[in-house]
Amino acid sequence: MESKEITPANKIVSKGNDETEILEENGKAVQSSENKEKTTENNKDADDETKEKEEEQVVTIKYDDLLYVEIVDGSENNRLQHTMNVAAKYGSKLYVVQDTNLYAMFREMIYNSSTGYAAAPSGFSELLKEVFTGEGFVYEGIIENINFVKETGSKG
């Protein structure tokens, strides 16, 4: 940064290419309009880069020995989107272990599933019912089975 001599307050200093610098009463220099535009463009570029980096950052949760990654877009898979919506309803998000079919919802672990398996702690039977009654789920008797487990404490 080049150093500039501060001139008396409220004085306008003209420079060669119509660039002007107005000084405030406290004697500190105010950036010229040309410099402000450059600074604004640089800040905008920096903000865009920051937003891109934030979007690239992936939220992960380590649970037991597994690393779960937050699923941020389920728009191309109706079942996945439905399950994400159920998670959101319960104040959670949907996560997956990379390159597996192992899914989980975390606030604390409130749902986890894999092929042929789904579980939720006691008190989240409604969540399980909602997951398995959405679009693309055709499991006859699932509601009755969940109710049976809830009522009897059976392991399923």
Side-chain angles (χ1 to χ4, degrees):
M1 177 176 204
E2 81 182 60
S3 62
K4 294 183 180 178
E5 183 178 323
I6 303 294
T7 54
N10 293 328
K11 184 174 179 182
I12 297 176
V13 179
S14 293
K15 294 187 178 177
N17 55 5
D18 292 333
E19 181 181 342
T20 61
E21 206 168 285
I22 301 171
L23 303 175
E24 298 175 338
E25 285 183 21
N26 63 7
K28 290 187 178 175
V30 176
Q31 284 183 315
S32 69
S33 59
E34 184 178 306
N35 286 341
K36 278 187 181 179
E37 287 173 13
K38 288 178 185 174
T39 301
T40 302
E41 284 177 24
N42 289 343
N43 288 343
K44 184 180 177 196
D45 290 343
D47 287 344
D48 290 345
E49 284 181 32
T50 301
K51 286 178 186 175
E52 286 175 17
K53 287 180 183 177
E54 286 174 0
E55 289 172 3
E56 290 175 9
Q57 290 180 351
V58 177
V59 177
T60 61
I61 294 177
K62 185 156 178 81
Y63 187 83
D64 289 333
D65 291 333
L66 299 172
L67 184 65
Y68 289 84
V69 178
E70 181 182 355
I71 299 172
V72 292
D73 183 16
S75 61
E76 292 187 20
N77 181 321
N78 289 338
R79 287 177 63 167
L80 188 59
Q81 186 61 55
H82 169 74
T83 307
M84 290 172 68
N85 293 343
V86 172
K89 180 178 177 181
Y90 286 85
S92 182
K93 296 194 183 257
L94 185 63
Y95 296 81
V96 65
V97 174
Q98 289 282 346
D99 301 322
T100 72
N101 61 357
L102 185 58
Y103 294 87
M105 293 178 194
F106 289 100
R107 213 176 36 191
E108 56 196 77
M109 175 72 86
I110 64 169
Y111 168 86
N112 65 334
S113 73
S114 186
T115 303
Y117 168 83
S122 178
F124 287 94
S125 60
E126 294 302 313
L127 179 146
L128 284 175
K129 290 178 195 177
E130 286 186 53
V131 166
F132 291 109
T133 57
E135 185 177 332
F137 289 94
V138 185
Y139 299 111
E140 291 184 30
I142 191 78
I143 301 294
E144 293 79 12
N145 286 342
I146 293 169
N147 287 337
F148 177 77
V149 170
K150 179 182 176 185
E151 291 167 10
T152 65
S154 170
K155 297 285 182 192

